[in-house]
Structure formats: C-alpha cells, structure tokens
Amino acid sequence: MTAAEGPKEPGAPAVAQGGTAGETAVETIQREMTVFARRARASAGRMHPELSLVSYTLLGHLEERGGCRATDLAAHYALDKSTVSRQVAALERAALIERRLDPEDHRVQVLHLTDAGRRILAQVTESRRAAFHERLADWPAEDLERFAGYLTRYNAWTPPSGTP
C-alpha cells in the first residue's frame, strides 16, 4: 500500500502525495464515514429485515417528537417529499405508524407510532445499542467521550444562511 492509498493500520496517519495532513485527514474521515454508513444500513437490515435504516430513523424521530407531519420529516432529514411519502406508506402498510388529525388544525395529518411501531423500534434500538456496546467495549472512557463529542459537534454543524 502506498501513502496515497491510506494507512496500513487503524489510527496510522496517511499523507497523500502532494496533499497536506489536513486534506488527507478529511479524505480519511470521508472514507470512514462512508464505511460507517454502509455498515449501519447493512446492520439495520439484519436487525429487522423489513425496517430500513431510513425507516428506523423516521420511527425514532416520530417517537422523539411525539408525532409530526410527513413534510416535517422531509424537512428535518433534507429528504425529497416523495422519498418520505414512500417510506411513510411502507410504515403504514406494516402498521408501524398511523395518521391522526391534528387536534388544532383538522386539515393536517400527524404521523404517530402504533404500539407495534413502538415495540419494533424498541427491539431494534436495543439490538443496535448492544452492537455498539460490543464494538466499543474495549475503548477507554476518555476515548468514548471524545468520540461522542466529535460526532455531536460534526452533526450540529449547519450551513451558513443562504447556502443551498
């Protein structure tokens, strides 16, 4: 493996030819986050074959919020409305969510978890939590806290106003 291909062992710095350490770190972050996303999608399918990572995420959001509109889901996750519509339809067919009229505005339908949706979400969440605990079991507490802080900081970033 050449320096341009990346590190030979986890944690080893890699400097691409002609690139700076910072540029290479960003490339490594991008590559590793892609691997993470692929692994998350694959594990979601193994934990509950009918529940995709997107579906799991939407169910989690509905639980956190106590329900919301499909347009709110699309806006929150920056997803196309048609994508959310397909996911919502599949979750409704599986009887994991239901639509209810908004008590304050009867023109609006709010999505809520069903009892079955809550059970499935709890099962998948527990399986995911166990998988994370297993994977991170030998990490020192300081590393876990630092990693959690970095993820929180990364996910809290918002683009400057006016950026598409």
Side-chain angles (χ1 to χ4, degrees):
M1 177 182 295
T2 67
E5 292 171 320
K8 290 188 177 184
E9 58 186 83
V15 179
Q17 292 175 335
T20 67
E23 289 170 350
T24 302
V26 170
E27 291 169 10
T28 300
I29 291 166
Q30 178 183 352
R31 181 182 65 245
E32 294 303 319
M33 289 187 76
T34 299
V35 170
F36 178 84
R38 286 182 184 144
R39 182 173 284 135
R41 280 192 299 272
S43 69
R46 286 190 305 274
M47 289 179 196
H48 193 279
E50 296 86 38
L51 195 62
S52 72
L53 182 61
V54 172
S55 295
Y56 171 76
T57 304
L58 298 180
L59 289 177
H61 187 80
L62 290 174
E63 181 182 55
E64 286 174 20
R65 301 277 189 225
C68 71
R69 299 174 305 163
T71 54
D72 296 331
L73 288 171
H76 180 77
Y77 289 107
L79 293 170
D80 185 77
K81 288 179 186 178
S82 65
T83 300
V84 171
S85 180
R86 283 190 303 274
Q87 291 291 327
V88 165
L91 292 170
E92 282 182 301
R93 281 192 303 276
L96 301 178
I97 64 171
E98 63 186 2
R99 294 175 190 263
R100 297 183 201 156
L101 290 178
D102 184 327
E104 295 175 15
D105 184 348
H106 292 288
R107 298 170 297 170
V108 175
Q109 291 186 336
V110 179
L111 304 171
H112 291 275
L113 292 177
T114 62
D115 289 340
R118 273 190 271 297
R119 280 192 304 277
I120 294 285
L121 181 62
Q123 289 169 357
V124 174
T125 298
E126 186 53 40
S127 294
R128 291 176 61 85
R129 186 175 291 127
F132 276 110
H133 278 285
E134 181 180 354
R135 190 168 194 93
L136 300 169
D138 62 346
W139 285 38
E142 181 180 289
D143 287 354
L144 290 172
E145 290 171 12
R146 188 177 304 119
F147 186 48
Y150 290 152
L151 287 173
T152 300
R153 182 173 155 194
Y154 178 83
N155 286 324
W157 181 84
T158 55
S161 60
T163 302

